[in-house]
Amino acid sequence: MSPGDSGPPRPRAGGPDRAAALAQYRRRAGVYDLELALFEPLRRAAIAQLAPQAGETVLDVGCGTGLSLSALAGAVGAHGAVIGIEQSPEMIARARDRVAQQGWRQVTLLCAPVETAPLQGRADAALFHFTHDILCRPEAVAHVVAHLKPGARVVAAGLQWVRGVGFALNALVLPAALRSVTSLRGLGAPWRELERCLGALEVQPMGLGAVYLASGRVPEDC
Ligand SMILES: C[S@@+](CC[C@H](N)C(=O)[O-])C[C@H]1O[C@@H](n2cnc3c(N)ncnc32)[C@H](O)[C@@H]1O
């Protein structure tokens, strides 16, 4: 630990904290891909549910190191577009390397907080994969939804508190959440803010209830 380094940021009881999130992912960027390997089946299920099509524009909200980019870029093809939004310079640097190595000309990466990201036009679909801090920010969710077409598809997936008989599994959810988010608020129903914008979502518990997959559409009259 370097002088002045006060250790890993602690999730707050209140809402997400941008400075803490930047510090959290500065530390984590180097090991992130390895740590997320366990959750690849959920990523695949989320992208399958999103069903990106050739020629579409898809937002990868909080894209991190770009682990979803291969599947998204492949699905939209050379005539589509994938826009990754990520505030951590260390995480997006890895995504940029991935894009450069693969030569994905259809991928654009924006290094910005989602809530103020310079989005233009309206996309066909948006993915929120393991982005609890973003989903907790009404202004971030509203900014994304404002840049989606009426009828656009939205999928969110990530950790949640386990309810009912599997309650003891929260002993595994808690340490995973402590590494990923700066606020535990809303972890009982992480899709709630999205639901406020889109209306009712279809929510499936997965992984014995420790993770969820939520999907919906932007209302046609939006
Ligand atoms: C757990 S990672 C998920 C990365 C990627 N979606 C994935 O599935 O691997 C969460 C990411 O959200 C980013 N993030 C958190 N709050 C953000 C915000 N307000 N705006 C942009 N990015 C944010 C973090 O920097 C981090 O890279």
Side-chain angles (χ1 to χ4, degrees):
M1 194 179 290
S2 57
D5 190 338
S6 55
R10 296 242 175 91
R12 307 177 329 143
D17 177 310
R18 180 161 191 264
L22 288 170
Q24 186 172 46
Y25 283 95
R26 186 175 310 126
R27 293 163 190 277
R28 203 179 171 197
V31 291
Y32 181 81
D33 290 5
L34 203 56
E35 291 184 350
L36 261 281
L38 182 65
F39 297 102
E40 275 309 301
L42 181 63
R43 184 187 308 281
R44 283 198 291 275
I47 294 172
Q49 181 77 31
L50 192 70
Q53 304 293 311
E56 286 190 333
T57 296
V58 177
L59 304 181
D60 186 2
V61 183
C63 67
T65 61
L67 288 172
S68 298
L69 293 178
S70 173
L72 296 177
V76 303
H79 299 294
V82 179
I83 301 168
I85 313 159
E86 170 56 52
Q87 71 177 6
S88 160
E90 293 79 8
M91 294 291 275
I92 206 167
R94 288 174 159 78
R96 287 196 201 292
D97 287 348
R98 202 184 291 276
V99 171
Q101 274 164 21
Q102 299 297 327
W104 292 319
R105 300 178 67 155
Q106 67 272 51
V107 178
T108 301
L109 296 173
L110 303 175
C111 188
V114 169
E115 47 277 29
T116 55
L119 294 171
Q120 284 169 2
R122 289 184 159 209
D124 300 283
L127 176 68
F128 295 78
H129 188 261
F130 273 76
T131 55
H132 183 65
D133 269 6
I134 299 172
L135 286 171
C136 284
R137 286 185 180 276
E139 68 279 24
V141 174
H143 188 60
V144 171
V145 172
H147 288 87
L148 293 173
K149 294 175 184 169
R153 307 177 304 284
V154 178
V155 170
L159 295 167
Q160 66 173 354
W161 291 136
V162 184
R163 288 181 290 268
V165 288
F167 183 80
L169 276 175
N170 287 324
L172 300 177
V173 174
L174 179 61
L178 291 176
R179 276 191 77 63
S180 306
V181 304
T182 62
S183 167
L184 297 174
R185 193 164 74 182
L187 213 55
W191 56 87
R192 203 57 94 203
E193 191 53 46
L194 211 45
E195 206 163 48
R196 258 191 278 277
C197 285
L198 302 184
L201 302 178
E202 186 186 316
V203 182
Q204 306 167 43
M206 297 175 71
L208 302 173
V211 292
Y212 72 94
L213 182 59
S215 60
R217 283 183 182 265
V218 175
E220 290 291 346
D221 56 0
C222 196

